[in-house]
Amino acid sequence: MSEPASNTARPVPFRGRGFRPEAKRGAAIVVFVVLIAVIEWGTRTGWITNLTLPRPSDVAATLIELWQSGLLWTHLSLSLSRLVVGSALGISAGISVGVMIGLFSYVRAGLIPLVAALFPIPKIALLPLFVIWFGIDEGSKYALIALGTFTPTIVATYGAVDNVDRTLVRMGQSFGLSWWSIVRKIVLPGALPGILSGLRISLAIGIILLVAAEMLGAEYGIGAYILQAGSLYDLERLFAGVLILSVLGVTISWAIGLAEKRLLRWRT
Amino acid sequence: MQVNAKPAAKLMPDPLPKHGNCLFRTPVTPPNHEKPKDAMDLTLDHITHDYDGLSVLDDISLHIPAGEILCVIGPSGCGKSTLLRLIGGLEQPTAGQVLQLGTPPLGCLNPLTYVFQDFALLPWRSVEGNVSLVLEDHGIRGDAAEQIIADVLARTKLSDFRKALPRQLSGGMKQRVAIARALAVNPAVMLLDEPLSALDAQTRELLMEDLIALWTRQPFTGVYVTHNLAEAVRLGHRIAVLSRRPGRLSEVIDIDIPLTERKLGDPRLENIQKRLWDLMKQEALAADQELLHV
């Protein structure tokens, strides 16, 4: 009774705030716009010298010029076809080998050490070898991108197959499903989430290797374009090239997100 | 014994209680021939099993007659679920064998069919997709599959949820889908591995009534593994009590009350349940202590 506060009714204070990420629309755009605006303002006032960073408006002008000259399409179509062919080869082979590792103990025992040995090799170091094996043309670039996407896809795929709920496999066996049915209807759909998230990494590696291959020997392509700009210290063109690559990366990530949304609708 | 089991055994060879679509699946049914003996008994012959030298089951011999539900109870870790996996051929016993007597009913796609504790539904398939999964491999598609699916979903009161995905369903509904899937293959023996253990008490009560209704409509042979004594006395024609590890058959009890007459809170059932608990209490206590030492 000595403390008057102990007698009065007070609401329980809310303590559960924070630590829960929420979707905030437009935040990314604001960050982007502010960053561009600061750089634009800095380069115009001379606070940022034009040796350090190009003026964003000049980069935009370079891009428009590139588009109008038709060269953008030449570079982009060549780069895209290399990326698509190379990563399609690497990813399809990677998924098949990964599923085999997941399903057969002998394949697992035989190939996992090999994959572990191949994975950390910087694939760019092998480009001269590939030029001898597959020719200086598209072949060596396809091979480089294919090998670069191959190993991470294998690792993601067999991990995903290992993580398929064994009780579902038991269920399939208990209903007398054939081996092939169990693989097709239980193992593969169950491994799909893991395979798709592995694709994000594989394709990002694919883009990096695409640029590397084009820098080492190509007339056209985003990588070649960036290399030329770099040798001339043409910052506007360099940044225009980098911007195209970023857009490519964002587009691929968005496409995989879309695929996940459509194919994995059953997930919570 | 088993006053209620005898009419059940008589019902089994009759084509009427089978799937309404049995003609679809067995167009060659000879109308005037002697009816096939389409009931299947199971016999466990001195089953012994161990995992890496650790004895789990020790010399279990048991007869499971057609048309009856056998409940297997025992303290945790006594090898109940292992026994069920052995019966259905998902594991091989170290010694002894499981024998099938007689032929499975006509139109039976998968004689020994499981219902699992964790439902084991494919999350990427809808309710009807999960049922059709087990038909596809037997070449049943289109109208024939549609008939079976409609029939089993109606029997498990799921007709309104055909297109729903498992994640949209409650635990009780998921287990009903699993039961529908098991019924779709017209099993000779249902192997139920703690089918109600993942459910809350009220849902469990509802599903027990559903199981009794299903059995009454079309008696099936069942092996029902549970640690819940109340479930055992409600659903079992016979109850096999296993000892703690290594599991031995310590007692087999017959309950003569027909399934339909067994209601929640029946004093006769409570008596049996109490007897079972008295039988098991020391074992359960010992099993609990044992786990602490391991």
Side-chain angles (χ1 to χ4, degrees):
Chain A
M1 273 300 157
S2 56
E3 293 158 348
S6 64
N7 241 347
T8 54
R10 290 158 298 152
V12 174
F14 174 58
R15 297 177 289 178
R17 194 172 285 109
F19 298 103
R20 186 183 296 162
E22 287 168 38
K24 297 283 186 204
R25 281 185 159 268
I29 295 171
V30 170
V31 170
F32 202 68
V33 168
V34 167
L35 192 66
I36 299 285
V38 167
I39 295 171
E40 180 76 30
W41 172 77
T43 45
R44 275 182 191 278
T45 55
W47 171 60
I48 301 172
T49 63
N50 55 2
L51 274 179
T52 320
L53 276 179
R55 198 172 287 173
S57 53
D58 290 348
V59 175
T62 312
L63 268 177
I64 291 166
E65 198 182 300
L66 191 65
W67 180 53
Q68 279 167 345
S69 68
L71 273 177
L72 176 66
W73 182 239
T74 315
H75 290 303
L76 202 58
S77 60
L78 267 172
S79 287
L80 276 179
S81 69
R82 283 165 191 153
L83 183 66
V84 167
V85 173
S87 53
L89 287 172
I91 286 168
S92 52
I95 290 177
S96 337
V97 173
V99 169
M100 303 257 279
I101 289 177
L103 292 176
F104 304 108
S105 302
Y106 273 109
V107 180
R108 168 180 301 252
L111 289 189
I112 285 188
L114 184 66
V115 172
L118 280 179
F119 204 174
I121 297 176
K123 309 299 181 297
I124 303 159
L126 298 178
L127 189 63
L129 193 67
F130 285 169
V131 169
I132 302 297
W133 286 359
F134 303 104
I136 188 87
D137 296 335
E138 301 302 296
S140 57
K141 298 175 183 66
Y142 293 160
L144 186 74
I145 297 168
L147 185 65
T149 49
F150 180 56
T151 38
T153 310
I154 292 179
V155 173
T157 304
Y158 82 68
V161 171
D162 288 352
N163 274 332
V164 173
D165 192 349
R166 291 297 121 172
T167 59
L168 294 182
V169 175
R170 284 279 167 284
M171 181 277 292
Q173 290 176 320
S174 81
F175 277 95
L177 267 60
S178 67
W179 181 88
W180 177 234
S181 279
I182 292 177
V183 171
R184 210 159 38 95
K185 295 172 185 171
I186 299 177
V187 175
L188 288 182
L192 196 59
I195 293 176
L196 281 179
S197 65
L199 281 195
R200 283 180 193 276
I201 297 164
S202 302
L203 286 172
I205 292 174
I207 294 178
I208 294 170
L209 287 173
L210 165 76
V211 175
E214 287 177 343
M215 281 183 168
L216 286 172
E219 198 182 343
Y220 293 106
I222 309 291
Y225 178 77
I226 291 175
L227 186 74
Q228 279 170 18
S231 346
L232 300 169
Y233 207 72
D234 187 343
L235 281 189
E236 284 80 20
R237 288 175 64 195
L238 182 81
F239 270 76
V242 170
L243 197 63
I244 294 170
L245 288 181
S246 292
V247 170
L248 192 61
V250 170
T251 310
I252 286 174
S253 167
W254 170 82
I256 292 175
L258 199 71
E260 281 179 338
K261 231 180 227 169
R262 300 205 133 221
L263 294 172
L264 309 179
R265 211 176 284 157
W266 49 271
R267 281 202 306 196
T268 39
Chain B
M1 66 161 210
Q2 296 111 17
V3 194
N4 50 329
K6 291 226 168 84
K10 255 184 266 160
L11 273 173
M12 286 301 283
D14 196 299
L16 273 177
K18 271 193 304 206
H19 282 173
N21 40 39
C22 69
L23 277 175
F24 240 98
R25 279 190 265 172
T26 53
V28 286
T29 314
N32 288 324
H33 282 55
E34 189 189 335
K35 278 203 182 96
K37 191 175 163 283
D38 60 354
M40 208 170 88
D41 292 18
L42 285 179
T43 300
L44 312 188
D45 180 23
H46 299 286
I47 297 279
T48 297
H49 194 63
D50 51 53
Y51 290 118
D52 303 322
L54 179 73
S55 183
V56 187
L57 291 168
D58 185 25
D59 197 35
I60 301 218
S61 290
L62 200 56
H63 181 67
I64 303 160
E68 272 189 35
I69 299 176
L70 169 82
C71 284
V72 179
I73 58 171
S76 57
C78 73
K80 306 184 288 277
S81 293
T82 307
L83 185 66
L84 203 66
R85 283 200 295 277
L86 294 171
I87 294 175
L90 284 181
E91 268 182 63
Q92 283 187 307
T94 313
Q97 52 189 342
V98 182
L99 300 168
Q100 311 178 21
L101 307 171
T103 48
L106 278 173
C108 168
L109 302 174
N110 189 45
L112 303 168
T113 297
Y114 284 91
V115 173
F116 298 94
Q117 178 179 359
D118 52 6
F119 323 129
L121 300 177
L122 300 185
W124 49 87
R125 283 193 179 221
S126 63
V127 169
E128 59 179 352
N130 266 287
V131 177
S132 80
L133 171 80
V134 297
L135 300 174
E136 288 159 13
D137 259 46
H138 297 281
I140 298 173
R141 286 159 207 280
D143 284 349
E146 175 52 39
Q147 281 207 355
I148 297 174
I149 294 169
D151 173 43
V152 296
L153 291 185
R155 279 155 74 187
T156 46
K157 304 176 206 160
L158 286 165
S159 301
D160 294 340
F161 304 97
R162 293 186 65 141
K163 306 284 180 197
L165 286 172
R167 69 174 157 90
Q168 299 172 292
L169 302 176
S170 68
M173 298 261 279
K174 281 184 200 159
Q175 197 54 291
R176 284 213 196 95
V177 178
I179 292 168
R181 177 178 64 187
L183 292 173
V185 292
N186 201 11
V189 181
M190 289 256 258
L191 304 169
L192 302 112
D193 185 8
E194 308 213 16
L196 309 183
S197 295
L199 307 175
D200 62 76
Q202 289 130 40
T203 314
R204 199 179 298 164
E205 189 59 39
L206 291 173
L207 244 81
M208 257 195 276
E209 283 168 14
D210 286 353
L211 280 173
I212 292 172
L214 282 172
W215 186 89
T216 315
R217 191 179 147 178
Q218 181 191 331
F220 52 84
T221 314
V223 182
Y224 189 107
V225 164
T226 181
H227 60 254
N228 186 316
L229 301 185
E231 282 173 32
V233 297
R234 286 283 293 282
L235 293 170
H237 295 101
R238 316 173 76 190
I239 297 174
V241 186
L242 293 190
S243 70
R244 75 192 154 98
R245 201 181 63 220
R248 291 192 188 90
L249 203 58
S250 59
E251 187 130 359
V252 179
I253 293 175
D254 289 305
I255 304 179
D256 289 343
I257 311 161
L259 287 193
T260 42
E261 284 179 24
R262 304 186 191 178
K263 294 282 182 277
L264 181 66
D266 187 326
R268 293 173 297 178
L269 295 182
E270 306 245 306
N271 268 335
I272 302 170
Q273 197 178 329
K274 189 177 175 308
R275 222 174 86 208
L276 286 171
W277 176 232
D278 290 341
L279 263 171
M280 278 178 62
K281 190 173 178 183
Q282 286 310 314
E283 292 277 337
L285 201 62
D288 191 39
Q289 299 291 322
E290 190 177 334
L291 277 174
L292 293 175
H293 293 304
V294 168

